[in-house]
Amino acid sequence: MTEWTRERAIEVAVAAGHVPLDLSLGVPGEPPPTWCRAPESRAPAAYPASRGTLTLRVAAAGYLERRFGITVDADAVAASAGAKEFISTAPLFLRDVLAPTTRDTVLIPALGYPAYEVGARLAGLRAHRIPADEDFRMRLDRLPDAVAARALCVWVNSPANPSGVVEALGPIVRWACERGVLLLSDEAYAETTWSGTPRTALEHGPDGVLAVHSMSKRSNAPGLRVGFYAGDPAVVAGLVTRRRAAGFMASADAQAEAAALLDDDAHAEALRVVNERRLRDLVSAFAAHGLPCTVPEGGLFAWLPAPGADGAAFARYTAERAGLIVAAGQQYGRAGRGHVRIAATHDVAVVVPRLRLLRTDSRRSRREVAASGRAPDQGDAAGDRATGGG
């Protein structure tokens, strides 16, 4: 069977005569900031610093101190070519960095960013999904002891993509440290924490912990392809050496622009205000059109229960009926197959005309959704193979 993907959804929308409105990716509709642009002449003739320029690492450490109240030495910070690059490649080096070890398992959320599983597979490691409760929160206490004993590292994502859950990071850090498991904390959506204040796993100490941050989400700058990771100095140093040898590096100009953005909080706060307004407006608009969901604790996405409990069928329906591109929940794990993820990346006035094209009569809607969910897109494994964007 053909997988249901963003590209397939766009094809379906165009074939039905629509100009697609893409709400499947967490990238705001506005262009990224331009005031931070580095002049082309800035780029040196030499290779850029794989570990990150000192300017970038100092800026990242300063951001962590201002935003989270923690002190991190610039030597315990390193650059990546975007957070997704780091997530997908870190497991390649971890068994070497953490040697000697026979551990071979990467623990990933039951519902999470596909890159976690991709990274484990690229490294030839086992990916094991952590049990979750009915709210999609991680339940490490339900993990079999035999699996925990083989764990090399564990990924936590808070606020979580796609569900928006904000995890209690302290108990997760303690669980990992007590078992000698490296804790990898994906904090790309930290600035979009709507329930309480943004948190980082590094608040509980750097030993055995790495936090990963993204310029794409904090600054609406996905085109820079710059992120950073920080935490345990020994692990950071080991990864820097191996990543340099493998050729992973962000361009010098991109690093300069990222440093300028990290030094500036005003643009990030303005984006945060816009994101929260759009998310609340989006949830209200879907509810008003017969598709209720709740405002998440964090993140850029509405996590909508799909009519008929079939996210892939509903994603096809919205593409066909309204040219509305949403992400089927099964792309993030089988636990999400009854939902769709909808990005709050446009003002609601742009979205509402598309919602009017969707039938809101519940019985008729279910029949049409069922009819639109034809064979191409329903395979159980499809979501676990999907590798869509952030």
Side-chain angles (χ1 to χ4, degrees):
M1 295 183 186
T2 303
E3 295 178 11
W4 183 252
T5 63
R6 171 176 174 267
E7 291 74 21
R8 179 68 184 125
I10 291 172
E11 290 174 359
V12 167
V14 171
H18 302 290
V19 175
L21 178 61
D22 193 350
L23 301 184
S24 67
L25 299 180
V27 181
E30 294 76 24
T34 57
W35 56 263
C36 63
R37 293 283 168 83
E40 291 185 12
S41 59
R42 186 190 298 263
Y47 286 111
S50 176
R51 73 177 302 161
T53 63
L54 180 59
T55 301
L56 174 62
R57 291 183 286 113
V58 168
Y63 162 67
L64 291 173
E65 183 171 13
R66 293 191 313 275
R67 196 64 170 114
F68 303 101
I70 60 169
T71 301
V72 177
D73 191 275
D75 286 341
V77 179
S80 64
K84 185 176 185 177
E85 177 268 296
F86 181 84
I87 291 168
S88 298
T89 61
L92 287 169
F93 311 109
L94 284 181
R95 278 213 286 190
D96 194 19
V97 170
L98 301 175
T101 182
T102 58
R103 300 189 184 205
D104 64 355
T105 299
V106 177
L107 301 178
I108 64 176
L111 192 65
Y113 193 28
Y116 305 136
E117 184 171 4
V118 168
R121 290 181 174 181
L122 283 174
L125 301 172
R126 298 170 67 246
H128 187 94
R129 292 190 181 268
I130 301 163
D133 63 19
E134 61 277 5
D135 296 320
F136 302 108
R137 282 186 168 78
M138 291 170 56
R139 289 296 302 268
L140 287 162
D141 58 315
R142 297 179 183 174
L143 195 70
D145 291 339
V147 174
R150 297 176 64 172
L152 179 71
C153 60
V154 53
W155 279 106
V156 61
N157 177 212
S158 182
N161 173 17
S163 68
V165 164
V166 172
E167 299 278 7
L169 293 173
I172 296 172
V173 172
R174 286 194 296 275
W175 183 95
C177 289
E178 287 170 0
R179 291 162 178 78
V181 179
L182 180 67
L183 190 285
L184 298 171
S185 183
D186 177 0
E187 299 172 2
Y189 293 96
E191 289 287 357
T192 60
T193 302
W194 316 124
S195 175
T197 57
R199 317 303 300 183
T200 174
L202 295 175
E203 294 171 15
H204 305 282
D207 293 344
V209 177
L210 288 185
V212 185
H213 284 260
S214 166
M215 301 307 302
S216 299
K217 303 302 183 274
R218 177 182 183 267
S219 297
N220 182 24
L224 282 185
R225 304 320 305 144
V226 178
F228 71 86
Y229 58 102
D232 191 309
V235 178
V236 170
L239 285 172
V240 164
T241 300
R242 290 158 180 84
R243 286 170 53 80
R244 181 189 300 121
F248 292 111
M249 59 189 71
S251 75
D253 278 353
Q255 291 190 47
E257 294 176 23
L261 289 169
L262 286 167
D263 280 334
D264 180 76
D265 295 329
H267 81 281
E269 178 57 27
L271 181 60
R272 174 183 166 89
V273 170
V274 170
N275 285 336
E276 183 175 15
R277 171 179 57 78
R278 283 179 169 169
L279 183 59
R280 294 184 182 280
D281 288 349
L282 183 73
V283 168
S284 295
F286 269 84
H289 289 79
L291 296 164
C293 58
T294 59
V295 176
E297 295 173 341
L300 291 173
F301 311 105
W303 185 232
L304 178 75
D310 190 334
F314 186 63
R316 169 183 275 278
Y317 172 72
T318 63
E320 257 182 345
R321 182 75 187 181
L324 197 60
I325 311 303
V326 302
Q330 68 185 47
Q331 294 179 13
Y332 306 94
R334 295 182 182 181
R337 65 180 305 156
H339 288 69
V340 293
R341 191 194 78 166
I342 307 166
T345 51
H346 292 273
D347 283 342
V348 73
V350 177
V351 181
V352 166
R354 305 303 182 106
L355 294 180
R356 290 177 181 149
L357 297 176
L358 301 178
R359 296 188 185 277
T360 57
D361 176 85
S362 60
R363 287 173 296 178
R364 182 163 51 187
S365 177
R366 285 192 180 92
R367 288 199 301 271
E368 292 198 21
V369 168
S372 70
R374 293 182 288 273
D377 317 305
Q378 305 302 317
D380 279 354
D384 294 334
R385 295 194 301 270
T387 56

